[in-house]
Amino acid sequence: MTPIVRFAPSPTGYIHIGNTRTALFNWLFALKNGGQMVLRFDDTDVERSKTEYVEAIAEDVEWLGIKPFRVEYQSKRFAEYAAAAERLKAAGLLYPCYETAEELDLKRKLRLARRLPPVYGRDALKLSDEDKAKLEAEGKRPHWRFLLPNFKDDPFAPVRTEVHWDDLVRGPETVDLASLSDPVLIREDGTYLYTFTSVVDDIDMNITHIIRGDDHVTNSGVQISIFEAMGAKSPQLGHHNLLTTATGEGLSKRTSALSVGSLRRAGYEPMAVASLAVLTGTSENVVAMPDMNALAAIFDPASTSKSSSKFDPADLDALNRALIHAMPFSDAKDRLAALGIQGDDAEAFWLAVRSNLTFVSDAAQWWAIVKNGPASDEPLADEDRDFVRAAFDVLPSEPWNHETWKSWTDAVKVQSGRKGKGLFMPLRIALTGRSSGPELADLLPLLGREGTLARRP
């Protein structure tokens, strides 16, 4: 059987790095096991779901290198949900309830006061057809609850009913259905909740494995019961730990904290983001993997910690630098051209500067230095001006190559008696306007003798 997983974001905001962790866990699982992934937009919240979020999520997924084999929208599947609901109603497993939120809250408080679990007591099961008709005549509309299979003969006498599964991430898991309220699957306004629509979709789309955040562990007991009630076998489940901000706060689409789009716009490489999102909170060292196949090769959901992990964007810089420093010109060529970096010396320039960049876009600053003259970041000290002027008098003749810098500084050393930092730093500042940067042995051939002489103070 071909493994089929799914990433099912709700397009009510931009996805953040926590959502991305879920998407990547599913995609890497599919890659590693020869499977496929469905991108499914859970857009049944008509008021909050927006086309702009759908488009942004699709763009983020593509940028990360995730390649779903099909895209689905829950908003186009209401007929399927209605049919499934009718089947559950006919089986007596979906029943109408008429309590208001205030009435339910009061019932919870009364149960707590009697030292009973604060679960729904199934009072609506006692309503006769006449009772229901009277309530609806008064203008009340029911919400519909799924009758959990946590009793033997009497639904008002629930007994411990354990649901077990071998979690892909957490290992053996158990949920006691007796500790849960019958879940609401359909609201008063007729809209469906995720708990229900997700199961219907997973059955219809032949989902074999579900990997999601560990905030869904308790939901799993309920959903396994719904799968079975609908005559289907539950997919294998996996629940990874959640990511927080560096200060331990939860991530939210509403605040756009650590959104994938913001990281992309900041210039981070997709594999830097993917590597940190996946490897944080696992037993693997957090290093920048060169591509998805390499990340999939070391991906093991079972190596994930059970406690939440902090995602620090500052860690992205080191990973991004590692990827940039190893990036071949062929991968950077089009992006450099978009920055105006092109021509016969573009490749030599890239190879010279890449080891000093955090982002590809940083190359533009060095291109300006090579082509237009030194930056103004670091002024040349007055006491070094005569030394630098004299140094320019002993510039080697052309042609220039990688050995020219050594030949020149050897001559300057003999001429001036200077060595070490006192020799090299003033020359670097005179040539680039910066106290650090790419190897001057690599930059000097790009400047050329005429371009170098033009920088004489």
Side-chain angles (χ1 to χ4, degrees), residues 18-72:
N19 309 129
T20 303
R21 183 173 175 84
T22 300
L24 288 166
F25 267 51
N26 281 280
W27 176 239
L28 293 170
F29 182 86
L31 272 183
K32 190 160 190 153
N33 294 282
Q36 299 173 319
M37 191 179 93
V38 176
L39 173 58
R40 188 174 74 213
F41 289 102
D42 287 2
D43 56 350
T44 55
D45 187 338
V46 178
E47 289 186 4
R48 294 174 56 223
S49 295
K50 296 183 179 180
T51 302
E52 65 189 81
Y53 296 138
V54 171
E55 294 173 348
I57 292 170
E59 185 178 359
D60 290 340
V61 166
E62 181 181 7
W63 177 74
L64 286 164
I66 296 172
K67 300 174 182 177
F69 83 107
R70 60 191 279 195
V71 178
E72 297 282 353

Side-chain angles (χ1 to χ4, degrees), residues 223-261:
Q223 289 187 312
I224 289 172
S225 299
I226 300 174
F227 274 109
E228 293 175 350
M230 297 183 66
K233 182 180 178 181
S234 170
Q236 191 168 355
L237 304 173
H239 295 86
H240 63 74
N241 64 343
L242 301 182
L243 295 180
T244 69
T245 65
T247 55
E249 299 167 340
L251 301 175
S252 170
K253 287 187 293 186
R254 294 179 179 83
T255 63
S256 294
L258 294 176
S259 71
V260 177

Side-chain angles (χ1 to χ4, degrees), residues 253-332:
K253 287 187 293 186
R254 294 179 179 83
T255 63
S256 294
L258 294 176
S259 71
V260 177
S262 68
L263 297 174
R264 182 179 71 251
R265 290 187 292 273
Y268 289 105
E269 298 299 307
M271 284 310 303
V273 175
S275 298
L276 189 56
V278 171
L279 299 177
T280 294
T282 72
S283 59
E284 292 287 340
N285 292 327
V286 180
V287 295
M289 302 306 295
D291 54 49
M292 279 293 177
N293 288 327
L295 185 55
I298 65 169
F299 171 69
D300 178 9
S303 73
T304 308
S305 168
K306 289 189 177 182
S307 57
S308 61
S309 301
K310 294 181 180 179
F311 183 95
D312 190 346
D315 296 333
L316 278 175
D317 288 350
L319 299 182
N320 219 63
R321 282 192 290 270
L323 292 169
I324 298 298
H325 298 176
M327 185 179 293
F329 176 69
S330 57
D331 288 354

